[in-house]
């Protein structure tokens, strides 16, 4: 299965504070997030969330799915008006390699 397959869907599960990657309906990856304390600062509408960890099940590793998950999670964060602290080392490497997400990311 290719990562660019139309069956790869990323959605947000606010009840579990995570983005979920599903292939043909099966959960195969997550990015856990956590709201940073005090992220609603006076005069700012931006919510700051830390992307804590990225996990793709072993059977689906090395297919580019983590990048698909991170890209779509960052796109969602941008659309929500969130700012992201990339605690996860994979997310850190992704944003360095993709500077077009610099407007979404805040320093650790």
């Amino acid at each position: 299965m290719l990562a660019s397959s139309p069956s790869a869907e990323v959605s947000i599960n606010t009840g579990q504070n995570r983005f979920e990657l599903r292939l043909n309906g099966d959960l195969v990856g997550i990015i856990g997030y956590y709201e940073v304390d005090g992220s609603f600062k006076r005069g700012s509408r931006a919510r700051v969330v830390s992307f804590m960890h990225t996990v793709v099940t072993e059977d689906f590793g090395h297919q580019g799915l983590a990048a698909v998950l991170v890209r779509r999670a960052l796109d969602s964060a941008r659309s929500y008006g969130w700012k992201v602290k990339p605690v996860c080392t994979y997310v850190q490497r992704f944003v360095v390699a993709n500077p077009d997400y610099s407007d979404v990311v805040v320093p650790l």
Side-chain angles (χ1 to χ4, degrees), residues 31-88:
I31 292 179
Y33 68 86
Y34 180 79
E35 185 176 333
V36 176
D37 289 338
S39 66
F40 292 105
K41 294 185 172 48
R42 180 177 293 162
S44 171
R45 295 174 50 216
R47 178 179 183 185
V48 179
V49 296
S50 294
F51 279 15
M52 302 302 293
H53 55 271
T54 303
V55 178
V56 173
T57 59
E58 189 174 343
D59 290 345
F60 294 93
H62 307 289
Q63 297 180 34
L65 293 170
V68 170
L69 177 56
V70 171
R71 181 176 304 281
R72 293 190 189 166
L74 288 169
D75 288 342
S76 294
R78 180 184 280 143
S79 73
Y80 301 148
W82 293 1
K83 295 295 184 182
V84 174
K85 280 192 169 190
V87 175
C88 169

